[in-house]
Short mmCIF file of all heavy atoms in Angstrom, two decimals:
data_model
loop_
_atom_site.label_atom_id
_atom_site.label_comp_id
_atom_site.label_asym_id
_atom_site.label_seq_id
_atom_site.Cartn_x
_atom_site.Cartn_y
_atom_site.Cartn_z
N MET J 21 18.14 -9.03 3.32
CA MET J 21 17.96 -8.78 1.86
C MET J 21 16.47 -9.01 1.52
O MET J 21 15.92 -8.42 0.60
CB MET J 21 18.88 -9.84 1.12
CG MET J 21 18.94 -9.56 -0.32
SD MET J 21 19.86 -8.07 -0.62
CE MET J 21 19.76 -7.97 -2.38
N GLU J 22 15.89 -10.02 2.24
CA GLU J 22 14.46 -10.33 1.87
C GLU J 22 13.53 -9.14 2.37
O GLU J 22 12.52 -8.89 1.62
CB GLU J 22 14.11 -11.62 2.71
CG GLU J 22 12.71 -12.03 2.27
CD GLU J 22 12.38 -13.43 2.94
OE1 GLU J 22 13.33 -14.25 3.02
OE2 GLU J 22 11.26 -13.61 3.34
N ASN J 23 13.94 -8.51 3.44
CA ASN J 23 13.10 -7.37 3.83
C ASN J 23 13.08 -6.22 2.85
O ASN J 23 12.16 -5.43 2.84
CB ASN J 23 13.54 -6.84 5.27
CG ASN J 23 13.07 -7.79 6.32
OD1 ASN J 23 12.15 -8.60 6.19
ND2 ASN J 23 13.79 -7.74 7.46
N ILE J 24 14.20 -6.07 2.12
CA ILE J 24 14.26 -4.95 1.16
C ILE J 24 13.20 -5.09 0.14
O ILE J 24 12.58 -4.10 -0.34
CB ILE J 24 15.65 -4.96 0.52
CG1 ILE J 24 16.76 -4.56 1.55
CG2 ILE J 24 15.73 -4.02 -0.66
CD1 ILE J 24 18.11 -4.65 1.06
N ARG J 25 12.90 -6.36 -0.27
CA ARG J 25 11.77 -6.56 -1.29
C ARG J 25 10.46 -6.10 -0.74
O ARG J 25 9.68 -5.44 -1.48
CB ARG J 25 11.72 -8.00 -1.71
CG ARG J 25 12.82 -8.39 -2.59
CD ARG J 25 12.54 -9.78 -3.17
NE ARG J 25 12.78 -10.80 -2.09
CZ ARG J 25 12.18 -11.91 -2.01
NH1 ARG J 25 11.24 -12.28 -2.91
NH2 ARG J 25 12.40 -12.77 -0.98
N TYR J 26 10.21 -6.32 0.53
CA TYR J 26 8.93 -5.95 1.16
C TYR J 26 8.88 -4.43 1.27
O TYR J 26 7.80 -3.83 1.01
CB TYR J 26 8.76 -6.54 2.49
CG TYR J 26 8.60 -8.12 2.32
CD1 TYR J 26 9.46 -8.93 2.94
CD2 TYR J 26 7.59 -8.64 1.60
CE1 TYR J 26 9.42 -10.31 2.84
CE2 TYR J 26 7.47 -10.03 1.49
CZ TYR J 26 8.40 -10.80 2.09
OH TYR J 26 8.26 -12.18 2.02
N TYR J 27 9.99 -3.74 1.62
CA TYR J 27 9.99 -2.30 1.71
C TYR J 27 9.82 -1.66 0.33
O TYR J 27 9.12 -0.68 0.18
CB TYR J 27 11.33 -1.84 2.36
CG TYR J 27 11.40 -2.17 3.81
CD1 TYR J 27 12.50 -2.89 4.32
CD2 TYR J 27 10.36 -1.87 4.68
CE1 TYR J 27 12.53 -3.14 5.67
CE2 TYR J 27 10.45 -2.20 6.08
CZ TYR J 27 11.49 -2.85 6.51
OH TYR J 27 11.59 -3.15 7.79
N LEU J 28 10.43 -2.25 -0.71
CA LEU J 28 10.16 -1.75 -2.08
C LEU J 28 8.69 -1.96 -2.51
O LEU J 28 8.15 -1.10 -3.17
CB LEU J 28 11.16 -2.42 -3.00
CG LEU J 28 12.60 -2.13 -2.82
CD1 LEU J 28 13.46 -2.92 -3.83
CD2 LEU J 28 12.81 -0.63 -3.13
N PHE J 29 8.13 -3.15 -2.06
CA PHE J 29 6.70 -3.32 -2.35
C PHE J 29 5.83 -2.29 -1.70
O PHE J 29 4.93 -1.71 -2.30
CB PHE J 29 6.31 -4.75 -1.92
CG PHE J 29 4.83 -4.96 -1.97
CD1 PHE J 29 4.19 -5.13 -3.24
CD2 PHE J 29 4.04 -4.99 -0.78
CE1 PHE J 29 2.75 -5.41 -3.19
CE2 PHE J 29 2.72 -5.05 -0.84
CZ PHE J 29 2.09 -5.34 -2.09
N LEU J 30 6.10 -2.00 -0.41
CA LEU J 30 5.36 -0.98 0.30
C LEU J 30 5.53 0.34 -0.35
O LEU J 30 4.54 1.09 -0.46
CB LEU J 30 5.79 -0.89 1.74
CG LEU J 30 5.48 -2.14 2.60
CD1 LEU J 30 6.05 -1.99 3.98
CD2 LEU J 30 4.01 -2.44 2.60
N LEU J 31 6.72 0.68 -0.77
CA LEU J 31 6.94 2.00 -1.40
C LEU J 31 6.24 2.09 -2.74
O LEU J 31 5.61 3.03 -3.05
CB LEU J 31 8.48 2.18 -1.67
CG LEU J 31 8.86 3.50 -2.31
CD1 LEU J 31 8.43 4.71 -1.45
CD2 LEU J 31 10.35 3.50 -2.62
N ALA J 32 6.29 0.99 -3.50
CA ALA J 32 5.55 0.97 -4.77
C ALA J 32 3.99 1.07 -4.52
O ALA J 32 3.36 1.83 -5.26
CB ALA J 32 5.84 -0.31 -5.55
N ALA J 33 3.53 0.43 -3.49
CA ALA J 33 2.03 0.42 -3.28
C ALA J 33 1.69 1.90 -2.84
O ALA J 33 0.62 2.39 -3.27
CB ALA J 33 1.73 -0.52 -2.08
N ILE J 34 2.51 2.60 -2.09
CA ILE J 34 2.21 3.92 -1.70
C ILE J 34 2.23 4.84 -2.87
O ILE J 34 1.34 5.72 -3.04
CB ILE J 34 3.22 4.42 -0.58
CG1 ILE J 34 2.91 3.61 0.72
CG2 ILE J 34 3.11 5.92 -0.28
CD1 ILE J 34 3.96 3.83 1.78
N ILE J 35 3.22 4.65 -3.80
CA ILE J 35 3.31 5.54 -4.93
C ILE J 35 2.09 5.28 -5.87
O ILE J 35 1.50 6.27 -6.34
CB ILE J 35 4.62 5.27 -5.73
CG1 ILE J 35 5.81 5.80 -4.82
CG2 ILE J 35 4.59 5.94 -7.08
CD1 ILE J 35 7.21 5.47 -5.41
N VAL J 36 1.72 4.09 -6.10
CA VAL J 36 0.55 3.75 -6.96
C VAL J 36 -0.71 4.32 -6.33
O VAL J 36 -1.50 4.92 -7.02
CB VAL J 36 0.42 2.23 -7.17
CG1 VAL J 36 -0.88 1.90 -7.76
CG2 VAL J 36 1.64 1.75 -8.06
N ALA J 37 -0.93 4.13 -5.05
CA ALA J 37 -2.04 4.71 -4.34
C ALA J 37 -2.10 6.21 -4.50
O ALA J 37 -3.15 6.77 -4.67
CB ALA J 37 -2.06 4.31 -2.88
N PHE J 38 -0.95 6.87 -4.33
CA PHE J 38 -0.92 8.28 -4.52
C PHE J 38 -1.38 8.75 -5.86
O PHE J 38 -2.12 9.67 -6.04
CB PHE J 38 0.55 8.83 -4.13
CG PHE J 38 0.68 10.30 -4.36
CD1 PHE J 38 0.12 11.23 -3.51
CD2 PHE J 38 1.35 10.75 -5.52
CE1 PHE J 38 0.30 12.59 -3.69
CE2 PHE J 38 1.45 12.18 -5.69
CZ PHE J 38 0.93 13.02 -4.85
N LEU J 39 -0.84 8.01 -6.86
CA LEU J 39 -1.17 8.41 -8.26
C LEU J 39 -2.70 8.17 -8.53
O LEU J 39 -3.29 8.95 -9.19
CB LEU J 39 -0.32 7.55 -9.22
CG LEU J 39 1.19 7.95 -9.28
CD1 LEU J 39 1.89 6.95 -10.15
CD2 LEU J 39 1.39 9.40 -9.64
N ILE J 40 -3.20 7.02 -8.01
CA ILE J 40 -4.66 6.84 -8.16
C ILE J 40 -5.49 7.87 -7.49
O ILE J 40 -6.44 8.41 -8.05
CB ILE J 40 -4.97 5.41 -7.63
CG1 ILE J 40 -4.45 4.26 -8.53
CG2 ILE J 40 -6.54 5.24 -7.53
CD1 ILE J 40 -4.57 2.89 -7.93
N ILE J 41 -5.15 8.19 -6.28
CA ILE J 41 -5.89 9.28 -5.44
C ILE J 41 -5.75 10.61 -6.17
O ILE J 41 -6.72 11.36 -6.15
CB ILE J 41 -5.36 9.25 -3.97
CG1 ILE J 41 -5.74 7.98 -3.32
CG2 ILE J 41 -5.88 10.45 -3.31
CD1 ILE J 41 -5.10 7.81 -1.95
N LYS J 42 -4.62 10.91 -6.73
CA LYS J 42 -4.42 12.13 -7.43
C LYS J 42 -5.35 12.27 -8.58
O LYS J 42 -5.88 13.40 -8.89
CB LYS J 42 -2.97 12.27 -7.83
CG LYS J 42 -2.57 13.63 -8.43
CD LYS J 42 -1.08 13.66 -8.76
CE LYS J 42 -0.70 14.94 -9.39
NZ LYS J 42 0.66 14.98 -9.78
N LYS J 43 -5.62 11.17 -9.37
CA LYS J 43 -6.51 11.20 -10.51
C LYS J 43 -7.94 11.12 -10.13
O LYS J 43 -8.78 11.59 -10.95
CB LYS J 43 -6.12 10.06 -11.46
CG LYS J 43 -4.74 10.35 -12.11
CD LYS J 43 -4.45 9.21 -13.06
CE LYS J 43 -3.04 9.36 -13.68
NZ LYS J 43 -3.05 10.17 -14.81
N VAL J 44 -8.22 10.54 -8.98
CA VAL J 44 -9.67 10.43 -8.59
C VAL J 44 -10.13 11.69 -7.96
O VAL J 44 -9.40 12.34 -7.11
CB VAL J 44 -9.79 9.19 -7.67
CG1 VAL J 44 -11.20 9.17 -7.06
CG2 VAL J 44 -9.37 8.00 -8.37
N THR J 45 -11.39 12.14 -8.18
CA THR J 45 -11.91 13.43 -7.65
C THR J 45 -12.84 13.30 -6.51
O THR J 45 -12.99 14.12 -5.71
CB THR J 45 -12.50 14.26 -8.77
OG1 THR J 45 -13.47 13.51 -9.41
CG2 THR J 45 -11.39 14.61 -9.88
N THR J 46 -13.59 12.24 -6.51
CA THR J 46 -14.70 12.16 -5.52
C THR J 46 -14.18 11.64 -4.22
O THR J 46 -13.32 10.76 -4.07
CB THR J 46 -15.91 11.20 -5.98
OG1 THR J 46 -15.30 9.98 -6.16
CG2 THR J 46 -16.41 11.77 -7.24
N CYS J 47 -14.68 12.15 -3.15
CA CYS J 47 -14.27 11.84 -1.75
C CYS J 47 -14.56 10.39 -1.41
O CYS J 47 -13.76 9.72 -0.72
CB CYS J 47 -14.93 12.75 -0.73
SG CYS J 47 -14.32 12.54 0.94
N LEU J 48 -15.69 9.86 -1.85
CA LEU J 48 -16.09 8.50 -1.50
C LEU J 48 -15.13 7.49 -2.11
O LEU J 48 -14.71 6.57 -1.43
CB LEU J 48 -17.48 8.21 -1.99
CG LEU J 48 -18.02 6.80 -1.75
CD1 LEU J 48 -18.10 6.54 -0.28
CD2 LEU J 48 -19.43 6.62 -2.39
N VAL J 49 -14.74 7.73 -3.34
CA VAL J 49 -13.83 6.81 -3.98
C VAL J 49 -12.44 6.88 -3.38
O VAL J 49 -11.78 5.87 -3.15
CB VAL J 49 -13.72 7.04 -5.55
CG1 VAL J 49 -12.76 6.14 -6.21
CG2 VAL J 49 -15.10 6.89 -6.14
N LYS J 50 -12.01 8.06 -2.97
CA LYS J 50 -10.73 8.21 -2.28
C LYS J 50 -10.78 7.48 -0.91
O LYS J 50 -9.80 6.79 -0.65
CB LYS J 50 -10.48 9.74 -1.94
CG LYS J 50 -10.08 10.50 -3.14
CD LYS J 50 -9.85 11.93 -2.69
CE LYS J 50 -9.54 12.84 -3.89
NZ LYS J 50 -9.23 14.25 -3.43
N SER J 51 -11.86 7.46 -0.32
CA SER J 51 -11.95 6.73 1.01
C SER J 51 -11.89 5.26 0.78
O SER J 51 -11.16 4.58 1.54
CB SER J 51 -13.25 7.13 1.65
OG SER J 51 -13.30 8.47 1.96
N VAL J 52 -12.61 4.75 -0.28
CA VAL J 52 -12.49 3.29 -0.55
C VAL J 52 -11.10 2.86 -0.88
O VAL J 52 -10.61 1.83 -0.44
CB VAL J 52 -13.50 2.99 -1.64
CG1 VAL J 52 -13.31 1.58 -2.16
CG2 VAL J 52 -14.96 3.22 -1.22
N VAL J 53 -10.48 3.71 -1.71
CA VAL J 53 -9.04 3.27 -2.15
C VAL J 53 -8.15 3.33 -0.91
O VAL J 53 -7.30 2.50 -0.77
CB VAL J 53 -8.54 4.32 -3.18
CG1 VAL J 53 -7.00 4.15 -3.41
CG2 VAL J 53 -9.26 4.15 -4.46
N LEU J 54 -8.27 4.30 0.04
CA LEU J 54 -7.43 4.38 1.15
C LEU J 54 -7.69 3.16 2.07
O LEU J 54 -6.81 2.61 2.73
CB LEU J 54 -7.65 5.71 1.93
CG LEU J 54 -6.95 6.90 1.24
CD1 LEU J 54 -7.35 8.18 1.98
CD2 LEU J 54 -5.48 6.74 1.21
N ILE J 55 -8.98 2.77 2.24
CA ILE J 55 -9.34 1.67 3.12
C ILE J 55 -8.76 0.38 2.52
O ILE J 55 -8.15 -0.46 3.22
CB ILE J 55 -10.81 1.58 3.26
CG1 ILE J 55 -11.33 2.69 4.17
CG2 ILE J 55 -11.23 0.18 3.83
CD1 ILE J 55 -12.85 2.84 4.23
N VAL J 56 -8.86 0.17 1.17
CA VAL J 56 -8.30 -1.01 0.61
C VAL J 56 -6.81 -1.02 0.72
O VAL J 56 -6.18 -2.09 1.09
CB VAL J 56 -8.72 -1.09 -0.89
CG1 VAL J 56 -7.95 -2.16 -1.67
CG2 VAL J 56 -10.23 -1.27 -0.97
N LEU J 57 -6.13 0.10 0.51
CA LEU J 57 -4.64 0.16 0.66
C LEU J 57 -4.30 -0.19 2.12
O LEU J 57 -3.36 -0.91 2.29
CB LEU J 57 -4.16 1.56 0.23
CG LEU J 57 -2.65 1.71 0.40
CD1 LEU J 57 -1.91 0.77 -0.58
CD2 LEU J 57 -2.26 3.10 0.10
N ALA J 58 -4.96 0.38 3.01
CA ALA J 58 -4.71 0.13 4.48
C ALA J 58 -4.81 -1.37 4.80
O ALA J 58 -3.98 -1.97 5.52
CB ALA J 58 -5.59 0.92 5.41
N VAL J 59 -5.90 -2.04 4.23
CA VAL J 59 -6.09 -3.44 4.46
C VAL J 59 -4.89 -4.27 3.81
O VAL J 59 -4.41 -5.20 4.39
CB VAL J 59 -7.45 -3.91 3.93
CG1 VAL J 59 -7.57 -5.44 3.91
CG2 VAL J 59 -8.56 -3.26 4.73
N VAL J 60 -4.55 -3.89 2.64
CA VAL J 60 -3.44 -4.60 1.92
C VAL J 60 -2.15 -4.49 2.64
O VAL J 60 -1.46 -5.44 2.88
CB VAL J 60 -3.37 -4.14 0.43
CG1 VAL J 60 -2.07 -4.67 -0.17
CG2 VAL J 60 -4.52 -4.61 -0.37
N LEU J 61 -1.82 -3.25 3.12
CA LEU J 61 -0.57 -3.02 3.81
C LEU J 61 -0.58 -3.78 5.16
O LEU J 61 0.43 -4.34 5.56
CB LEU J 61 -0.32 -1.52 4.02
CG LEU J 61 -0.05 -0.76 2.76
CD1 LEU J 61 0.06 0.74 3.10
CD2 LEU J 61 1.16 -1.30 2.02
N ALA J 62 -1.75 -3.79 5.86
CA ALA J 62 -1.84 -4.51 7.10
C ALA J 62 -1.69 -6.02 6.89
O ALA J 62 -0.98 -6.70 7.65
CB ALA J 62 -3.19 -4.22 7.78
N ALA J 63 -2.28 -6.54 5.88
CA ALA J 63 -2.05 -7.95 5.54
C ALA J 63 -0.66 -8.29 5.20
O ALA J 63 -0.14 -9.32 5.67
CB ALA J 63 -2.99 -8.29 4.35
N VAL J 64 0.05 -7.49 4.46
CA VAL J 64 1.46 -7.72 4.14
C VAL J 64 2.21 -7.71 5.43
O VAL J 64 3.13 -8.53 5.64
CB VAL J 64 2.01 -6.68 3.15
CG1 VAL J 64 3.47 -6.69 3.04
CG2 VAL J 64 1.36 -6.94 1.78
N TYR J 65 1.96 -6.75 6.33
CA TYR J 65 2.74 -6.61 7.54
C TYR J 65 2.53 -7.86 8.41
O TYR J 65 3.52 -8.48 8.87
CB TYR J 65 2.32 -5.38 8.34
CG TYR J 65 2.94 -5.34 9.73
CD1 TYR J 65 4.28 -4.94 9.76
CD2 TYR J 65 2.21 -5.63 10.81
CE1 TYR J 65 4.92 -4.84 11.07
CE2 TYR J 65 2.82 -5.58 12.07
CZ TYR J 65 4.22 -5.20 12.18
OH TYR J 65 4.73 -5.11 13.41
N PHE J 66 1.29 -8.27 8.67
CA PHE J 66 1.02 -9.36 9.52
C PHE J 66 1.39 -10.75 8.94
O PHE J 66 1.81 -11.63 9.65
CB PHE J 66 -0.43 -9.37 9.97
CG PHE J 66 -0.80 -8.33 10.98
CD1 PHE J 66 -1.54 -7.23 10.67
CD2 PHE J 66 -0.20 -8.41 12.27
CE1 PHE J 66 -1.80 -6.24 11.67
CE2 PHE J 66 -0.40 -7.47 13.15
CZ PHE J 66 -1.23 -6.39 12.94
N LEU J 67 1.30 -10.90 7.62
CA LEU J 67 1.59 -12.17 7.03
C LEU J 67 3.13 -12.40 6.77
O LEU J 67 3.62 -13.50 6.74
CB LEU J 67 0.79 -12.31 5.68
CG LEU J 67 -0.68 -12.46 5.86
CD1 LEU J 67 -1.34 -12.55 4.48
CD2 LEU J 67 -0.99 -13.69 6.65
N TYR J 68 3.81 -11.27 6.41
CA TYR J 68 5.20 -11.45 5.99
C TYR J 68 6.23 -10.78 6.92
O TYR J 68 7.35 -11.34 7.03
CB TYR J 68 5.34 -10.83 4.54
CG TYR J 68 4.60 -11.61 3.54
CD1 TYR J 68 3.43 -11.06 2.97
CD2 TYR J 68 4.85 -12.93 3.12
CE1 TYR J 68 2.69 -11.70 2.00
CE2 TYR J 68 4.15 -13.59 2.19
CZ TYR J 68 2.99 -12.98 1.63
OH TYR J 68 2.31 -13.64 0.72
N LEU J 69 5.92 -9.67 7.49
CA LEU J 69 6.95 -8.94 8.21
C LEU J 69 6.95 -9.24 9.73
O LEU J 69 7.94 -8.92 10.41
CB LEU J 69 6.79 -7.43 7.95
CG LEU J 69 6.98 -6.98 6.55
CD1 LEU J 69 6.70 -5.48 6.42
CD2 LEU J 69 8.32 -7.34 6.00
N LYS J 70 5.87 -9.83 10.24
CA LYS J 70 5.82 -10.03 11.68
C LYS J 70 6.38 -11.32 12.02
O LYS J 70 6.44 -12.31 11.33
CB LYS J 70 4.38 -9.91 12.18
CG LYS J 70 4.26 -9.83 13.64
CD LYS J 70 2.96 -9.33 14.00
CE LYS J 70 2.99 -9.17 15.57
NZ LYS J 70 1.67 -8.80 16.02
#
């Protein structure tokens, strides 16, 4: 049951990132957003799911 919350958090993070990337037009800002999202998802994985 606890893992379901983390999966929902990951799904919400992906949806929010997709919406942000869709509204952003420059390639540099898209790259920064993707890098930050990757770091956040990696931190969640290593701190909570592993």
Side-chain angles (χ1 to χ4, degrees):
M21 191 70 182
E22 187 174 322
N23 284 338
I24 292 174
R25 284 190 289 151
Y26 296 118
Y27 291 127
L28 290 175
F29 169 76
L30 293 177
L31 181 62
I34 290 170
I35 291 171
V36 169
F38 175 75
L39 292 175
I40 290 172
I41 291 170
K42 188 175 176 183
K43 291 182 183 272
V44 174
T45 58
T46 61
C47 186
L48 179 61
V49 177
K50 286 182 185 179
S51 299
V52 170
V53 169
L54 286 174
I55 290 170
V56 169
L57 179 64
V59 169
V60 168
L61 291 178
V64 168
Y65 174 75
F66 284 112
L67 293 175
Y68 296 108
L69 298 177
K70 194 165 185 184

